[in-house]
Amino acid sequence: MNRTDRLYALVEELRAASPRPRSARMLAARFEVSVRTVERDLAALQQSGVPVYAVPGRSGGYVLDRRRTLPPLTITPAEATALAVGLNALAGTPFAADARSALHKVLAVMPERERAAAAEMAGRVQLLVPAAGAARSAEPVVPAVLREALTAGRVLRLEYGDREGALTSREVEPVAFLGGDEHWYLAGWCRLRQAPRGFRLDRIRAVEALDERVPARHVDLSELDTLGSDLVPLAEFGV
Protein backbone atom coordinates (compact mmCIF):
# COMPACT_ATOMS: atom_id res chain seq x y z
CA MET A 1 0.00 0.00 0.00
CA ASN A 2 1.46 3.36 -1.01
CA ARG A 3 1.26 6.39 1.29
CA THR A 4 -1.68 8.04 -0.48
CA ASP A 5 -3.78 4.90 -0.17
CA ARG A 6 -2.68 4.48 3.45
CA LEU A 7 -3.73 8.03 4.34
CA TYR A 8 -7.15 7.40 2.80
CA ALA A 9 -7.43 4.07 4.63
CA LEU A 10 -6.40 5.69 7.92
CA VAL A 11 -9.26 8.18 7.65
CA GLU A 12 -11.73 5.39 6.93
CA GLU A 13 -10.38 3.27 9.81
CA LEU A 14 -10.82 6.18 12.23
CA ARG A 15 -14.24 6.99 10.78
CA ALA A 16 -15.44 3.43 11.36
CA ALA A 17 -14.14 3.42 14.94
CA SER A 18 -15.40 6.91 15.89
CA PRO A 19 -16.08 7.98 18.59
CA ARG A 20 -13.79 5.29 20.02
CA PRO A 21 -10.06 6.12 19.76
CA ARG A 22 -7.45 4.05 17.96
CA SER A 23 -3.91 4.01 19.35
CA ALA A 24 -0.91 4.61 17.08
CA ARG A 25 0.33 1.12 17.96
CA MET A 26 -2.99 -0.44 16.93
CA LEU A 27 -3.01 1.50 13.65
CA ALA A 28 0.60 0.56 12.96
CA ALA A 29 -0.24 -3.14 13.34
CA ARG A 30 -3.33 -2.72 11.17
CA PHE A 31 -1.35 -1.22 8.25
CA GLU A 32 1.88 -3.13 8.86
CA VAL A 33 4.07 -0.06 9.31
CA SER A 34 6.00 1.39 12.24
CA VAL A 35 4.40 3.50 14.95
CA ARG A 36 6.59 6.41 13.83
CA THR A 37 5.23 6.12 10.28
CA VAL A 38 1.65 6.15 11.53
CA GLU A 39 2.33 9.19 13.68
CA ARG A 40 3.82 11.00 10.67
CA ASP A 41 0.76 10.07 8.60
CA LEU A 42 -1.61 11.31 11.30
CA ALA A 43 0.32 14.58 11.57
CA ALA A 44 0.06 15.00 7.79
CA LEU A 45 -3.70 14.47 7.95
CA GLN A 46 -4.03 17.03 10.74
CA GLN A 47 -1.95 19.58 8.81
CA SER A 48 -4.15 19.11 5.74
CA GLY A 49 -7.27 19.95 7.77
CA VAL A 50 -8.63 16.48 8.53
CA PRO A 51 -10.25 16.72 12.02
CA VAL A 52 -8.16 14.06 13.75
CA TYR A 53 -7.63 14.60 17.47
CA ALA A 54 -5.38 12.95 20.05
CA VAL A 55 -7.15 11.68 23.19
CA PRO A 56 -4.79 11.36 26.19
CA GLY A 57 -4.85 8.57 28.73
CA ARG A 58 -4.28 4.81 28.92
CA SER A 59 -7.30 4.09 26.74
CA GLY A 60 -6.68 7.09 24.51
CA GLY A 61 -5.47 7.36 20.96
CA TYR A 62 -6.65 9.17 17.82
CA VAL A 63 -10.26 10.07 17.01
CA LEU A 64 -11.89 11.40 13.85
CA ASP A 65 -14.71 13.93 14.23
CA ARG A 66 -17.28 12.38 11.89
CA ARG A 67 -19.46 15.50 12.00
CA ARG A 68 -16.79 17.43 10.11
CA THR A 69 -15.91 14.90 7.40
CA LEU A 70 -17.53 13.37 4.35
CA PRO A 71 -17.96 9.63 3.79
CA PRO A 72 -16.65 8.18 0.50
CA LEU A 73 -18.33 10.19 -2.26
CA THR A 74 -20.31 8.73 -5.13
CA ILE A 75 -18.64 11.14 -7.50
CA THR A 76 -17.64 10.08 -11.01
CA PRO A 77 -14.18 10.58 -12.53
CA ALA A 78 -15.71 13.07 -14.98
CA GLU A 79 -17.26 15.02 -12.11
CA ALA A 80 -13.95 15.12 -10.25
CA THR A 81 -12.19 16.34 -13.39
CA ALA A 82 -14.88 19.00 -13.89
CA LEU A 83 -14.28 20.20 -10.34
CA ALA A 84 -10.55 20.46 -11.00
CA VAL A 85 -11.13 22.45 -14.20
CA GLY A 86 -13.68 24.72 -12.53
CA LEU A 87 -11.51 25.36 -9.49
CA ASN A 88 -8.64 26.27 -11.80
CA ALA A 89 -10.65 29.39 -12.66
CA LEU A 90 -10.02 30.58 -9.09
CA ALA A 91 -6.29 30.99 -9.81
CA GLY A 92 -5.35 34.58 -9.10
CA THR A 93 -8.17 35.05 -6.55
CA PRO A 94 -8.08 35.07 -2.75
CA PHE A 95 -9.65 31.60 -2.82
CA ALA A 96 -7.03 29.75 -4.89
CA ALA A 97 -5.41 28.02 -1.91
CA ASP A 98 -8.80 27.08 -0.46
CA ALA A 99 -9.84 25.66 -3.86
CA ARG A 100 -6.77 23.42 -3.95
CA SER A 101 -7.44 22.28 -0.38
CA ALA A 102 -11.10 21.52 -1.20
CA LEU A 103 -10.15 19.46 -4.24
CA HIS A 104 -7.60 17.45 -2.25
CA LYS A 105 -10.25 16.69 0.38
CA VAL A 106 -12.73 15.52 -2.26
CA LEU A 107 -10.12 13.26 -3.85
CA ALA A 108 -9.07 11.92 -0.46
CA VAL A 109 -12.53 10.50 0.27
CA MET A 110 -13.17 9.02 -3.19
CA PRO A 111 -12.91 5.23 -3.50
CA GLU A 112 -9.53 4.12 -4.83
CA ARG A 113 -10.75 2.91 -8.23
CA GLU A 114 -12.68 6.12 -8.99
CA ARG A 115 -9.77 8.24 -7.76
CA ALA A 116 -7.37 6.44 -10.11
CA ALA A 117 -9.79 6.87 -13.03
CA ALA A 118 -10.12 10.59 -12.22
CA ALA A 119 -6.34 10.95 -12.25
CA GLU A 120 -6.16 9.22 -15.63
CA MET A 121 -8.86 11.47 -17.09
CA ALA A 122 -7.25 14.59 -15.65
CA GLY A 123 -4.05 13.57 -17.40
CA ARG A 124 -5.91 13.89 -20.70
CA VAL A 125 -7.01 17.46 -20.00
CA GLN A 126 -4.77 20.39 -20.83
CA LEU A 127 -5.56 24.01 -20.08
CA LEU A 128 -4.45 27.01 -22.08
CA VAL A 129 -2.42 29.45 -19.99
CA PRO A 130 -0.98 32.88 -20.83
CA ALA A 131 2.23 32.76 -22.83
CA ALA A 132 5.48 33.15 -20.94
CA GLY A 133 6.01 36.79 -20.07
CA ALA A 134 2.35 37.70 -20.50
CA ALA A 135 1.00 40.00 -17.82
CA ARG A 136 -1.04 38.29 -15.15
CA SER A 137 -1.98 39.48 -11.71
CA ALA A 138 -0.19 37.74 -8.87
CA GLU A 139 -2.33 35.58 -6.65
CA PRO A 140 -3.32 37.78 -3.69
CA VAL A 141 -2.12 36.65 -0.30
CA VAL A 142 -5.06 36.87 2.10
CA PRO A 143 -4.36 36.30 5.80
CA ALA A 144 -6.70 33.69 7.25
CA VAL A 145 -7.72 36.15 9.95
CA LEU A 146 -9.19 38.43 7.27
CA ARG A 147 -11.28 35.70 5.65
CA GLU A 148 -12.45 34.40 9.02
CA ALA A 149 -13.42 37.88 10.26
CA LEU A 150 -15.54 38.44 7.17
CA THR A 151 -17.38 35.18 7.84
CA ALA A 152 -17.72 35.75 11.59
CA GLY A 153 -18.68 39.41 11.26
CA ARG A 154 -15.85 40.90 13.31
CA VAL A 155 -14.39 44.38 13.01
CA LEU A 156 -10.87 44.56 11.55
CA ARG A 157 -7.95 46.86 12.25
CA LEU A 158 -5.89 47.35 9.10
CA GLU A 159 -2.50 48.86 8.40
CA TYR A 160 -3.10 50.08 4.87
CA GLY A 161 -0.78 51.68 2.33
CA ASP A 162 -2.08 54.12 -0.28
CA ARG A 163 -0.75 54.41 -3.83
CA GLU A 164 2.15 56.56 -2.57
CA GLY A 165 2.98 54.03 0.14
CA ALA A 166 1.80 56.15 3.08
CA LEU A 167 0.42 53.97 5.88
CA THR A 168 -2.74 54.58 7.89
CA SER A 169 -4.35 52.54 10.65
CA ARG A 170 -8.06 51.99 10.12
CA GLU A 171 -10.89 50.15 11.77
CA VAL A 172 -13.05 48.57 9.08
CA GLU A 173 -16.39 46.78 9.21
CA PRO A 174 -15.90 44.13 6.48
CA VAL A 175 -18.73 43.53 4.03
CA ALA A 176 -17.48 41.63 0.98
CA PHE A 177 -14.64 40.72 -1.33
CA LEU A 178 -14.68 42.52 -4.68
CA GLY A 179 -12.69 40.99 -7.49
CA GLY A 180 -11.75 41.19 -11.11
CA ASP A 181 -8.94 40.36 -13.51
CA GLU A 182 -6.64 43.11 -12.25
CA HIS A 183 -7.07 43.45 -8.47
CA TRP A 184 -9.03 42.10 -5.51
CA TYR A 185 -10.40 44.29 -2.73
CA LEU A 186 -11.89 44.06 0.72
CA ALA A 187 -15.03 46.21 0.76
CA GLY A 188 -16.34 47.60 4.00
CA TRP A 189 -17.31 50.57 6.08
CA CYS A 190 -14.20 52.61 6.93
CA ARG A 191 -14.57 54.27 10.32
CA LEU A 192 -11.71 56.66 9.53
CA ARG A 193 -13.45 58.03 6.43
CA GLN A 194 -17.00 57.32 7.65
CA ALA A 195 -17.85 55.93 4.22
CA PRO A 196 -17.74 52.70 2.18
CA ARG A 197 -14.25 51.94 0.95
CA GLY A 198 -12.48 49.25 -1.07
CA PHE A 199 -9.07 48.19 0.20
CA ARG A 200 -6.71 46.55 -2.30
CA LEU A 201 -5.55 43.27 -0.79
CA ASP A 202 -1.96 43.76 -1.91
CA ARG A 203 -1.82 47.07 0.00
CA ILE A 204 -2.93 45.63 3.34
CA ARG A 205 0.29 45.48 5.35
CA ALA A 206 -1.15 44.03 8.57
CA VAL A 207 -4.56 42.92 9.81
CA GLU A 208 -6.01 42.17 13.23
CA ALA A 209 -9.48 40.90 14.05
CA LEU A 210 -11.01 42.72 17.02
CA ASP A 211 -13.42 41.22 19.53
CA GLU A 212 -16.11 43.69 18.46
CA ARG A 213 -18.88 42.41 16.22
CA VAL A 214 -19.82 44.32 13.07
CA PRO A 215 -22.91 46.43 13.89
CA ALA A 216 -26.04 46.32 11.76
CA ARG A 217 -25.36 48.81 8.98
CA HIS A 218 -26.49 49.05 5.38
CA VAL A 219 -23.47 49.54 3.13
CA ASP A 220 -24.27 50.27 -0.51
CA LEU A 221 -21.42 48.73 -2.52
CA SER A 222 -22.71 50.47 -5.64
CA GLU A 223 -21.22 53.67 -4.20
CA LEU A 224 -17.77 52.22 -4.82
CA ASP A 225 -16.17 52.86 -8.20
CA THR A 226 -13.23 50.59 -7.34
CA LEU A 227 -13.72 48.13 -10.19
CA GLY A 228 -15.21 50.44 -12.74
CA SER A 229 -17.76 47.77 -13.68
CA ASP A 230 -20.99 46.20 -12.49
CA LEU A 231 -20.88 43.98 -9.42
CA VAL A 232 -22.23 40.45 -9.91
CA PRO A 233 -22.89 38.49 -6.67
CA LEU A 234 -21.29 35.06 -6.65
CA ALA A 235 -24.64 33.65 -5.49
CA GLU A 236 -25.98 34.27 -9.02
CA PHE A 237 -23.67 31.50 -10.20
CA GLY A 238 -25.36 28.96 -7.93
CA VAL A 239 -23.02 29.12 -4.92
Side-chain angles (χ1 to χ4, degrees):
M1 180 182 293
N2 61 40
R3 188 171 190 242
T4 299
D5 291 338
R6 189 172 65 249
L7 289 174
Y8 169 77
L10 266 172
V11 171
E12 292 311 305
E13 178 74 15
L14 293 173
R15 186 196 309 282
S18 180
R20 301 183 306 278
R22 285 285 187 264
S23 69
R25 187 176 300 277
M26 184 184 300
L27 293 170
R30 167 72 175 80
F31 296 105
E32 299 180 346
V33 294
S34 68
V35 171
R36 184 176 179 82
T37 295
V38 162
E39 290 175 340
R40 282 199 300 262
D41 288 347
L42 291 166
L45 290 171
Q46 291 171 326
Q47 290 170 7
S48 68
V50 178
V52 175
Y53 303 99
V55 177
R58 292 184 59 185
S59 59
Y62 293 89
V63 176
L64 177 75
D65 186 348
R66 298 178 64 176
R67 298 168 300 174
R68 297 178 55 196
T69 63
L70 293 171
L73 297 177
T74 55
I75 185 171
T76 68
E79 289 170 338
T81 304
L83 285 174
V85 172
L87 292 175
N88 179 73
L90 293 175
T93 77
F95 308 100
D98 296 305
R100 288 191 293 269
S101 176
L103 182 59
H104 291 161
K105 289 178 180 178
V106 169
L107 294 175
V109 296
M110 286 179 66
E112 180 181 353
R113 185 174 62 180
E114 282 76 7
R115 188 168 70 248
E120 181 179 355
M121 179 173 287
R124 299 175 184 273
V125 176
Q126 299 186 36
L127 302 175
L128 295 175
V129 297
R136 183 173 182 176
S137 299
E139 183 175 302
V141 178
V142 184
V145 64
L146 194 156
R147 299 197 304 271
E148 292 165 2
L150 182 61
T151 302
R154 296 173 63 189
V155 177
L156 293 167
R157 180 177 292 123
L158 305 181
E159 293 293 328
Y160 188 73
D162 63 17
R163 67 185 61 187
E164 282 77 33
L167 292 177
T168 56
S169 179
R170 308 175 184 227
E171 288 189 2
V172 176
E173 300 168 15
V175 174
F177 282 122
L178 306 180
D181 291 335
E182 188 173 0
H183 298 296
W184 276 78
Y185 300 80
L186 171 70
W189 179 264
C190 177
R191 292 180 174 178
L192 179 66
R193 304 303 183 198
Q194 287 296 297
R197 286 290 187 270
F199 300 92
R200 263 179 55 175
L201 296 185
D202 60 341
R203 291 180 179 171
I204 297 176
R205 302 292 183 257
V207 58
E208 175 189 2
L210 306 182
D211 292 333
E212 181 184 356
R213 303 281 297 182
V214 173
R217 184 197 303 276
H218 175 68
V219 179
D220 188 355
L221 297 182
S222 66
E223 296 180 17
L224 296 171
D225 59 0
T226 302
L227 297 179
S229 60
D230 293 333
L231 300 177
V232 181
L234 187 63
E236 290 191 12
F237 294 95
V239 177

